Amino acid sequence: MNTIPDEILNCLCTNQRFLILLHQKPDGDAIGSAVALGKGLKQLNKTVDYYIDLPLEDKLEFFDEIQYFNQVLQDDYDVIIYLDCSSSSFAFSPAEMPAAKIRLVIDHHKSNAHYGDLNFVEITGATAEIVFRVLRGLNVVFDEEMADAIFTGITTDTGSFQFSNVTVDTHLIASELYAIKTNYAHLSKRLHTQKNINQMKMTGAAIHSLEILDSMPIAMMILDHETIVKFGGTINITDDVANLGQNTIGVAITALLKEIDPGEYRVSLRAKYPYDIHEIALKYGGGGHERAAGFNFCGDVGELKRDLMEVCANQNGEA
Amino acid sequence: MNTIPDEILNCLCTNQRFLILLHQKPDGDAIGSAVALGKGLKQLNKTVDYYIDLPLEDKLEFFDEIQYFNQVLQDDYDVIIYLDCSSSSFAFSPAEMPAAKIRLVIDHHKSNAHYGDLNFVEITGATAEIVFRVLRGLNVVFDEEMADAIFTGITTDTGSFQFSNVTVDTHLIASELYAIKTNYAHLSKRLHTQKNINQMKMTGAAIHSLEILDSMPIAMMILDHETIVKFGGTINITDDVANLGQNTIGVAITALLKEIDPGEYRVSLRAKYPYDIHEIALKYGGGGHERAAGFNFCGDVGELKRDLMEVCANQNGEA
């Protein structure tokens, strides 16, 4: 396993008052990293505050440490830790940012802008992997909640060890977690497979609408307004619904059209390499990445389908 | 990592002609274990034959080594290896079983009957974990196909590292596989998420039919004959469809009713601890385990629903 730079360990050892910030809508990696790092620093008799965007997804709300989130905010800190935030604008920051001697960035995003006074950025499967190594470097003893927190970060950001960001270290760290606590099956189920009945029904409705357009490898799914209302609103459209089309053999691009209000759509696009759906999202005033992008849409759904077919055809060099 | 008994390594080192047998309808762990062990023994200049129940699921058909399955069968062998078979009756055996000096059992099932002359049985996440350790013990060099084979065994039998059978060793072995080959994302996708359009549609139809009975934690899903025919027959009902109900929060027992022929149902039952659906399967002339069982059914579906509610109520001590 790679080691941690001395200056990072020194910064954490020699300072006393820490504030942890995460990105907006914190995911499993952000929350898991915050819980483990916060508890680890407290074990070393540091004071730790958290400023974190709430509420969390139900599935992440099981950590005891969450009771300490957003309880106090001092005027100044020794160190503000930007955790799992690729840029400072991506972080969920207080309206009045406290003063700090040092801004420390700990992150695993390739796109990280190194905006801190100290930056520890490595391209790992999850920020939680880096936090684990940092805490080992500080000789912190892991309790079961901290092991759960690191596991949560790793398993959510690697798609249960399935994504291309998994490395030798990812599994080495997981093996160390199993030495702390022997069974993560219940946690895995909570994070990856459990849905409430309305989320399940929303998934079924999306698959029911799944249509592969002509002979092109483009899939379309539509959740109309009536369906969304029937199953409890957009909060019940889970992240994986947009991926269902992508899990269909032969599909390269998927558009999930969510009719948020009557006639108004939020469109989630997903693409496989080498397809690039960023440009179509831009064309419709949206944004995102090459393989995952989105936009809002009011208009002729038939026109949208034709546009998507055109993008796909162009990328095949057929048009 | 635990070591391998010397007598097992000696048996594999000192003999020359091997036959590998697997259980019927071999799964990812059986096939992965066979491919890795067969190739490993060949690397040591042994002759290896395979006698394996074919055809395989599409998703498992990517190993080059499969071309050597069932090509020859000698009258006798030095060693017949029963791989991933909990009992000899569970093994897919030749009509005329060849003679052998030694019957060697390598398996990870708790229920293994130790029916060999030599038995190497450990309760691990996958038989592939044991095969990996055996081959390391024999100083075999892993190529990428062998790494894929071990990974296939582990990831399929542990539900992508999510089940309660995962241990420290499971992840240590996975970390060694990543040192051989850096990316298993494509393989993971193939084994866990990819479905053809008809399998996807069948999944959607099952969710569409998902019904939670009254206030009881029992879910029912029905795939009627018309639906099954429309989406290509029972071959397209993937294993995970029966689990969809179980993935719904609050559901303890799921019944998936597949109308195989008009009016004739194959019922798959799933239960969570402490619910036991074995008895209802027996009552209908079927069988299985406490948490996964099944039976065939011709009759009144309403009556079946009432029976299931009764079982569930009894197990809650409410009736």
Side-chain angles (χ1 to χ4, degrees):
Chain A
M1 231 178 280
N2 287 339
T3 55
I4 305 294
D6 285 341
E7 58 179 358
I8 303 298
L9 296 179
N10 285 340
C11 170
L12 295 168
C13 277
T14 58
N15 287 287
Q16 184 56 35
R17 300 179 312 123
F18 294 85
L19 173 66
I20 294 177
L21 298 183
L22 302 178
H23 62 73
Q24 282 181 287
K25 294 183 184 169
D27 56 7
D29 191 25
I31 294 298
S33 296
V35 167
L37 184 58
K39 287 193 72 172
L41 290 172
K42 287 178 182 179
Q43 195 183 109
L44 302 174
N45 296 315
K46 312 294 183 182
T47 61
V48 179
D49 294 339
Y50 303 92
Y51 193 81
I52 291 173
D53 188 16
L54 299 177
L56 304 180
E57 286 182 88
D58 288 353
K59 66 181 182 184
L60 296 175
E61 278 192 333
F62 62 94
F63 294 107
D64 283 344
E65 189 68 8
I66 289 174
Q67 66 183 299
Y68 303 109
F69 285 8
N70 302 351
Q71 288 306 297
V72 282
L73 194 62
Q74 310 294 339
D75 292 334
D76 66 291
Y77 290 91
D78 294 336
V79 184
I80 295 180
I81 303 174
Y82 291 76
L83 198 56
D84 198 43
C85 298
S86 59
S87 76
S88 60
S89 64
F90 188 48
F92 179 69
S93 303
E96 298 277 321
M97 180 66 81
K101 287 193 301 181
I102 301 166
R103 300 200 312 165
L104 168 61
V105 172
I106 299 179
D107 186 34
H108 78 126
H109 291 96
K110 193 174 172 182
S111 60
N112 189 289
H114 292 248
Y115 53 92
D117 302 308
L118 267 176
N119 300 283
F120 185 41
V121 179
E122 267 192 28
I123 315 307
T124 55
T127 294
E129 293 185 26
I130 303 175
V131 169
F132 179 87
R133 289 159 46 207
V134 165
L135 293 178
R136 277 282 194 241
L138 294 169
N139 295 316
V140 162
V141 177
F142 281 75
D143 64 22
E144 294 201 351
E145 178 164 277
M146 291 163 73
D148 276 346
I150 299 294
F151 189 86
T152 295
I154 291 175
T155 195
T156 54
D157 253 28
T158 64
S160 196
F161 303 93
Q162 290 184 20
F163 297 162
S164 59
N165 56 359
V166 173
T167 67
V168 169
D169 269 9
T170 312
H171 282 289
L172 276 182
I173 292 169
S175 74
E176 293 205 34
L177 297 177
Y178 274 83
I180 296 163
K181 183 192 143 178
T182 57
N183 194 336
Y184 297 80
H186 180 75
L187 180 55
S188 289
K189 193 179 280 285
R190 178 184 183 109
L191 295 170
H192 292 294
T193 67
Q194 294 284 78
K195 297 184 180 199
N196 67 43
I197 182 68
N198 282 324
Q199 290 169 333
M200 196 58 84
K201 286 289 193 178
M202 198 82 83
T203 302
I207 299 178
H208 188 66
S209 78
L210 180 67
E211 185 189 359
I212 298 189
L213 299 180
D214 296 344
S215 60
M216 308 296 292
I218 311 175
M220 186 84 69
M221 294 183 292
I222 300 185
L223 289 170
D224 61 30
H225 190 62
E226 192 185 345
T227 301
I228 292 173
V229 169
K230 184 176 172 189
F231 299 127
T234 55
I235 190 89
N236 279 337
I237 305 172
T238 53
D239 290 346
D240 62 339
V241 171
N243 294 325
L244 288 166
Q246 293 302 94
N247 293 343
T248 310
I249 293 168
V251 169
I253 296 178
T254 299
L256 169 64
L257 283 65
K258 295 164 282 189
E259 194 182 10
I260 306 303
D261 286 305
E264 291 184 22
Y265 293 86
R266 174 72 195 163
V267 180
S268 297
L269 298 171
R270 296 288 183 274
K272 287 177 188 155
Y273 178 86
Y275 293 90
D276 180 353
I277 34 69
H278 185 218
E279 57 186 279
I280 198 163
L282 282 181
K283 178 179 161 187
Y284 282 97
H289 307 278
E290 291 175 356
R291 315 280 175 251
F295 59 90
N296 295 314
F297 178 75
C298 293
D300 179 353
V301 169
E303 185 197 326
L304 180 60
K305 289 186 182 186
R306 282 190 295 277
D307 267 12
L308 284 167
M309 282 194 284
E310 199 179 318
V311 169
C312 200
N314 280 335
Q315 295 201 355
N316 272 322
E318 291 168 20
Chain B
M1 230 179 281
N2 287 337
T3 56
I4 306 294
D6 285 342
E7 59 179 358
I8 303 299
L9 296 179
N10 285 341
C11 170
L12 295 167
C13 278
T14 59
N15 287 288
Q16 183 57 35
R17 298 177 314 123
F18 294 86
L19 174 64
I20 293 177
L21 297 183
L22 302 179
H23 63 72
Q24 281 181 288
K25 295 184 184 169
D27 57 7
D29 191 24
I31 294 299
S33 296
V35 166
L37 184 57
K39 288 192 72 172
L41 290 171
K42 288 179 181 177
Q43 196 185 108
L44 302 173
N45 296 315
K46 313 293 182 183
T47 61
V48 179
D49 294 340
Y50 304 91
Y51 192 82
I52 291 173
D53 188 18
L54 300 177
L56 304 180
E57 285 181 89
D58 287 354
K59 66 182 182 183
L60 296 174
E61 277 192 333
F62 62 95
F63 294 108
D64 282 346
E65 189 70 7
I66 288 173
Q67 66 183 298
Y68 303 109
F69 285 7
N70 302 351
Q71 288 305 295
V72 283
L73 192 62
Q74 310 293 338
D75 292 333
D76 66 291
Y77 290 91
D78 295 336
V79 184
I80 296 181
I81 304 175
Y82 292 75
L83 197 57
D84 198 41
C85 297
S86 58
S87 77
S88 60
S89 64
F90 188 49
F92 179 69
S93 302
E96 299 276 321
M97 180 65 80
K101 288 194 298 179
I102 301 166
R103 300 200 310 165
L104 169 62
V105 173
I106 299 179
D107 187 33
H108 77 128
H109 290 97
K110 193 175 173 181
S111 61
N112 190 288
H114 292 249
Y115 53 92
D117 303 307
L118 266 176
N119 300 284
F120 186 42
V121 179
E122 266 191 30
I123 315 308
T124 55
T127 294
E129 292 184 26
I130 303 175
V131 169
F132 179 87
R133 289 159 46 207
V134 165
L135 294 178
R136 278 279 194 242
L138 294 168
N139 295 317
V140 162
V141 177
F142 281 75
D143 64 21
E144 293 201 352
E145 179 164 276
M146 292 163 71
D148 276 346
I150 299 293
F151 188 86
T152 295
I154 292 175
T155 194
T156 55
D157 254 28
T158 63
S160 195
F161 303 92
Q162 290 184 20
F163 296 164
S164 58
N165 56 0
V166 173
T167 68
V168 169
D169 269 10
T170 312
H171 282 291
L172 276 181
I173 292 169
S175 74
E176 291 204 37
L177 297 177
Y178 275 82
I180 296 162
K181 185 191 141 179
T182 57
N183 194 334
Y184 297 81
H186 180 75
L187 181 54
S188 289
K189 193 179 280 286
R190 178 184 183 108
L191 295 169
H192 291 294
T193 67
Q194 294 283 79
K195 298 186 179 199
N196 66 43
I197 182 71
N198 283 325
Q199 291 169 333
M200 196 58 84
K201 286 288 193 181
M202 199 82 81
T203 303
I207 299 178
H208 189 64
S209 78
L210 180 67
E211 186 189 358
I212 298 189
L213 299 180
D214 296 345
S215 60
M216 308 294 294
I218 312 176
M220 186 84 69
M221 294 184 289
I222 300 184
L223 289 170
D224 61 29
H225 190 63
E226 191 184 345
T227 301
I228 292 173
V229 169
K230 183 177 172 190
F231 298 127
T234 55
I235 189 91
N236 279 337
I237 305 173
T238 53
D239 290 344
D240 62 340
V241 170
N243 294 324
L244 288 167
Q246 293 303 93
N247 293 343
T248 310
I249 293 168
V251 170
I253 296 180
T254 300
L256 170 63
L257 283 64
K258 295 165 278 188
E259 194 181 12
I260 306 303
D261 285 307
E264 293 183 20
Y265 293 86
R266 174 75 194 156
V267 180
S268 298
L269 297 171
R270 296 286 184 275
K272 287 179 188 155
Y273 178 84
Y275 292 90
D276 179 352
I277 35 68
H278 185 221
E279 58 184 279
I280 199 163
L282 283 180
K283 178 178 163 187
Y284 282 96
H289 307 277
E290 291 175 356
R291 315 277 174 254
F295 59 90
N296 295 315
F297 177 77
C298 293
D300 180 352
V301 169
E303 186 196 323
L304 180 61
K305 288 186 183 185
R306 281 190 297 276
D307 267 12
L308 285 168
M309 280 195 284
E310 200 179 316
V311 169
C312 201
N314 281 334
Q315 295 202 354
N316 273 322
E318 292 169 17

